[in-house]
Amino acid sequence: QHCEIEFNRIRATAFPYAYFEKDNDASSGSKGDFIFRDMDAQGTEIVSIMFEMKNENDTTVTRKKNEDFFKELDKDRNEKGCEYAILVSLLEPDNELYNTGIVDVSHRYPKMYVIRPQFFIQMITVLRNAAMNALKYKTELAEVKAQNIDITNFEAELETFKSAFGRNWRLASDGFEEAIKRIDESIKDLVKVKEALQKSANNLRLANNKAEDLTVKRLTRGNPTMAAKFAELEHAGEGDLDAEG
């Protein structure tokens, strides 16, 4: 509670974009005490810290050492996506190491520190200022990532267009080939019809020639009966002409 009060006193002026709230998410089975995240005006994260607060008055920590909480703190930090892990502790009050101020225990767990409560504001200020120096690079990295996303989206859309265009081209090509095939077949059928008509016309011409060349002599040739009949008709015709004369 001491740390929360101290932070809220300077929040508006020193950390206007910061988030500092209790960790209420125990979905993984455990949780830290507080999560601190500081942002710039554009919303780019500058630094994030998982805090664990331990007091000698807590019955749950009686006769325990600071290092007893390192593993769980590191687990909570990783699950909540925090860069740093800080144990704010009043445990081991006679330990000279922890009483010196800020103790770096990153040889046990990366980016982990143990501090006394009076160093709380100084600690987050030091980490925030150090992170500010890297903010430029974080911003540039965010821009590069955004550009990569844009390029990826463009490439994906281009591939989608190429795929759709290729599919439509194949369908159109198949349609053209089928149409050309049908036209070729129709032409072949028309050629056959033309040839049949030409043969019919030739046969009709021959038949007409034969009809024009047809005479009585040709009809009666080799047929004495018909020749006699035509002769009788011819004589009868001549007799009629004489009577009229």
Side-chain angles (χ1 to χ4, degrees):
Q1 188 176 4
H2 166 78
C3 295
E4 186 176 11
I5 292 172
E6 289 299 312
F7 180 80
N8 286 332
R9 283 178 179 173
I10 63 170
R11 179 196 288 263
T13 54
F15 304 98
Y17 303 109
Y19 169 94
F20 182 67
E21 302 292 341
K22 289 184 177 181
D23 180 15
N24 295 316
D25 181 7
S27 58
S28 62
S30 65
K31 61 184 180 67
D33 284 330
F34 285 88
I35 293 177
F36 171 85
R37 297 184 190 277
D38 199 10
M39 315 281 181
D40 66 1
Q42 286 71 43
T44 302
E45 185 174 287
I46 301 172
V47 65
S48 58
I49 307 170
M50 171 64 74
F51 283 100
E52 185 73 21
M53 315 293 190
K54 294 303 175 186
N55 192 319
E56 278 282 12
N57 295 329
D58 295 340
T59 57
T60 56
V61 297
T62 303
R63 292 184 298 279
K64 285 194 174 184
K65 296 182 178 181
N66 288 315
E67 64 182 25
D68 295 335
F69 300 95
F70 291 171
K71 182 177 180 180
E72 191 69 19
L73 175 57
D74 183 62
K75 175 176 175 290
D76 293 336
R77 175 260 302 273
N78 290 326
E79 288 179 349
K80 303 303 166 59
C82 294
E83 183 178 1
Y84 292 93
I86 297 178
L87 177 63
V88 182
S89 172
L90 288 173
L91 303 180
E92 301 180 73
D94 298 326
N95 188 307
E96 293 184 6
L97 175 64
Y98 294 120
N99 288 336
T100 57
I102 298 172
V103 180
D104 183 353
V105 292
S106 57
H107 60 285
R108 298 283 302 277
Y109 295 94
K111 296 185 178 182
M112 182 177 289
Y113 299 88
V114 181
I115 63 173
R116 296 304 189 193
Q118 62 267 30
F119 295 104
F120 172 74
I121 296 298
Q122 291 91 325
M123 187 67 201
I124 60 176
T125 301
V126 168
L127 293 180
R128 196 276 300 270
N129 290 343
M132 285 290 290
N133 294 328
L135 179 60
K136 175 183 176 182
Y137 303 104
K138 285 188 176 182
T139 302
E140 290 178 354
L141 180 60
E143 291 176 354
V144 170
K145 287 182 177 179
Q147 291 172 359
N148 287 339
I149 291 173
D150 290 342
I151 292 173
T152 300
N153 290 338
F154 173 77
E155 290 177 344
E157 291 175 0
L158 180 60
E159 287 301 319
T160 300
F161 171 78
K162 287 167 63 178
S163 176
F165 181 84
R167 179 176 179 275
N168 291 338
W169 182 87
R170 287 192 299 273
L171 291 174
S173 178
D174 293 343
F176 277 123
E177 290 179 0
E178 180 65 22
I180 291 172
K181 181 180 177 182
R182 290 178 179 272
I183 290 172
D184 288 340
E185 291 175 352
S186 298
I187 290 173
K188 290 179 181 178
D189 291 339
L190 289 173
V191 169
K192 290 180 180 179
V193 172
K194 176 184 175 183
E195 291 175 350
L197 289 173
Q198 287 175 336
K199 289 180 180 179
S200 297
N202 188 52
N203 290 332
L204 288 171
R205 181 181 59 78
L206 294 174
N208 183 62
N209 291 340
K210 289 180 179 180
E212 290 179 351
D213 195 36
L214 185 64
T215 63
V216 173
K217 289 182 178 180
R218 286 180 178 275
L219 288 173
T220 58
R221 182 182 299 169
N223 192 332
T225 302
M226 291 300 297
K229 292 291 185 182
F230 277 111
E232 289 177 3
L233 290 172
E234 186 176 351
H235 288 306
E238 291 176 354
D240 291 338
L241 290 174
D242 291 338
E244 290 176 0

